[in-house]
Amino acid sequence: MAIMKSVLEAIGNTPLVDLERLVRHWKLEGRVLAKLDHLNPSGSKKDRIALGMIREAERKGLLKPGQTVIEETSGNTGNGLALVCSLLGYPFVAVMSKGNSIERVRICNAFGAKVVRVDQAPGSKPGEVSAADLDLVMEETERLTKELGAFCAGQFHNADNALAQETTGDEMWEQSEGKIDAVADFVGTGGGFTGIATSMRRHNPKVRCYLVEPANAPYYSGKKAREGAGHRIQGGGYAREVPFLDRSLITDCVGVSDEEAAEGARLLSSVEGIFCGFSAGAHAAAARKLLQGPEKGKTVAIVICDSGLKYLSTDLYA
Ligand SMILES: Cc1ncc(COP(=O)(O)O)c(C=O)c1O
């Protein structure tokens, strides 16, 4: 590998690992391939979209030199933008819910960003960010965007989010030499699912694309979430329509409980040495269900969204 001009060049091109040990542990038939996106410089897959959204905004003339960038974030996009903005010379403000883990705040601070933490809605629990909590974060982001004359990256509405995550799918396809039958991806903004599914279908229209949702907070499966149902899979599962998720790409939905996601994360760490967060664990649990069901004997690809280091303040690894 040649010398890089900056850490920005270290974003993407992450390894793809065959989870043979986990497949054996669960006595499954088939293969699970994991894209180690937690190895991106700020510790999550969101570094791809941080760089992608900023570069595209520069190219489209939406972001002026030195202008403040702002983002509503569950933390990981904030961490990625904090890193990218610091290297490219944009002041950055992350707006996040107090329900998200404190590590994400500290990482933003480390990269020199400002963090605004928004109180959770009445009845919400720390570690469980609901759609109502997200609305409060969005309101505050809108207010601050106007006040600061900032550029809002807007991952929930910005199609450059999904575009940046097509690179994940393209890399998986190339690394596996086209040997992928299905993918499973947890929905937050839907950028990951849309980007990866778009890439897969471009390479082979027959690849099945499964949307992963919290069993407690289903939405796309057509089951209505119980009012106020919370879950612990940070980074998504808001049980609401996300603007650019293309439903025609969804083969089916897979529900994963908090316990299954936590077990998945703990096994990825202890059996495979992949130290990850809840959503990566949810992906492993979803792959297990698929290999026990409709994808028996096939190859399912998943993403390791973020690092377990971001959950040390929670009980995930306590
Ligand atoms: C840890 C984690 N997993 C999964 C997701 C969901 O990804 P996407 O927004 O691409 O749907 C996010 C998004 O914030 C995340 O932070």
Side-chain angles (χ1 to χ4, degrees):
M1 208 182 282
I3 295 175
M4 294 179 179
K5 286 205 161 51
S6 83
V7 81
L8 296 181
E9 290 180 23
I11 294 175
N13 290 312
T14 52
L16 186 71
V17 172
D18 188 341
L19 304 185
E20 274 178 6
R21 291 165 182 78
L22 190 60
V23 163
R24 232 180 292 129
H25 179 89
W26 275 334
K27 300 186 172 58
L28 302 172
E29 250 177 69
R31 198 148 83 126
V32 182
L33 301 178
K35 184 76 170 142
L36 306 192
D37 256 33
H38 67 308
L39 299 183
N40 276 300
S42 87
S44 92
K45 71 177 197 147
K46 297 287 190 159
D47 286 4
R48 292 179 192 264
I49 78 164
L51 187 59
M53 292 193 299
I54 293 297
R55 286 303 193 201
E56 281 299 304
E58 287 175 334
R59 198 180 59 76
K60 293 172 187 163
L62 301 172
L63 176 60
K64 308 280 174 294
Q67 188 179 3
T68 297
V69 174
I70 192 165
E71 182 65 332
E72 73 261 359
T73 167
S74 69
N76 281 328
T77 304
N79 292 168
L81 280 167
L83 168 83
V84 168
C85 289
S86 126
L87 286 176
L88 297 180
Y90 301 103
F92 175 64
V93 180
V95 188
M96 66 177 92
S97 169
K98 285 189 182 166
N100 289 121
S101 65
I102 191 75
E103 288 85 343
R104 294 157 156 82
V105 177
R106 304 252 160 90
I107 294 169
C108 280
N109 292 152
F111 292 131
K114 187 171 168 214
V115 180
V116 175
R117 296 185 77 211
V118 179
D119 282 329
Q120 289 190 271
S124 294
K125 288 191 209 143
E128 295 185 11
V129 176
S130 66
D133 295 328
L134 202 64
D135 285 340
L136 293 175
V137 171
M138 286 188 177
E139 269 169 37
E140 182 61 6
T141 309
E142 255 174 54
R143 192 188 70 73
L144 281 168
T145 303
K146 287 196 196 113
E147 188 180 301
L148 301 169
F151 166 75
C152 181
Q155 58 174 333
F156 280 90
H157 303 275
N158 188 341
D160 294 329
N161 165 359
L163 191 67
Q165 297 196 69
E166 282 185 34
T167 60
T168 317
D170 291 344
E171 289 170 21
M172 282 174 168
W173 190 260
E174 200 177 302
Q175 288 166 306
S176 69
E177 298 175 339
K179 294 195 184 77
I180 294 175
D181 299 304
V183 292
D185 204 66
F186 178 63
V187 56
T189 64
F193 178 83
T194 303
I196 293 169
T198 302
S199 160
M200 289 298 141
R201 294 281 163 81
R202 193 170 48 233
H203 288 105
N204 178 357
K206 291 194 178 135
V207 176
R208 274 86 60 199
C209 301
Y210 295 92
L211 190 79
V212 180
E213 296 192 295
N216 251 7
Y219 178 81
Y220 282 93
S221 65
K223 296 177 205 132
K224 199 175 173 309
R226 189 164 45 81
E227 196 66 38
H231 67 87
R232 303 190 60 209
I233 313 174
Q234 290 190 32
Y238 303 115
R240 62 162 49 160
E241 199 72 28
V242 285
F244 55 72
L245 198 151
D246 179 354
R247 277 176 184 265
S248 72
L249 293 168
I250 305 176
T251 302
D252 206 350
C253 296
V254 184
V256 172
S257 71
D258 289 351
E259 293 72 26
E260 288 167 333
E263 187 208 9
R266 290 175 187 137
L267 285 172
L268 280 166
S269 299
S270 62
V271 176
E272 294 282 357
I274 296 174
F275 189 42
C276 61
F278 284 99
S279 64
H283 286 168
R288 179 189 193 184
K289 289 178 191 216
L290 291 170
L291 290 189
Q292 285 170 336
E295 300 296 337
K296 190 169 176 185
K298 305 286 186 201
T299 298
V300 179
I302 59 170
V303 174
I304 305 301
C305 304
D306 67 355
S307 164
L309 290 171
K310 300 199 183 205
Y311 300 86
L312 292 178
S313 68
T314 76
D315 67 359
L316 182 57
Y317 295 107

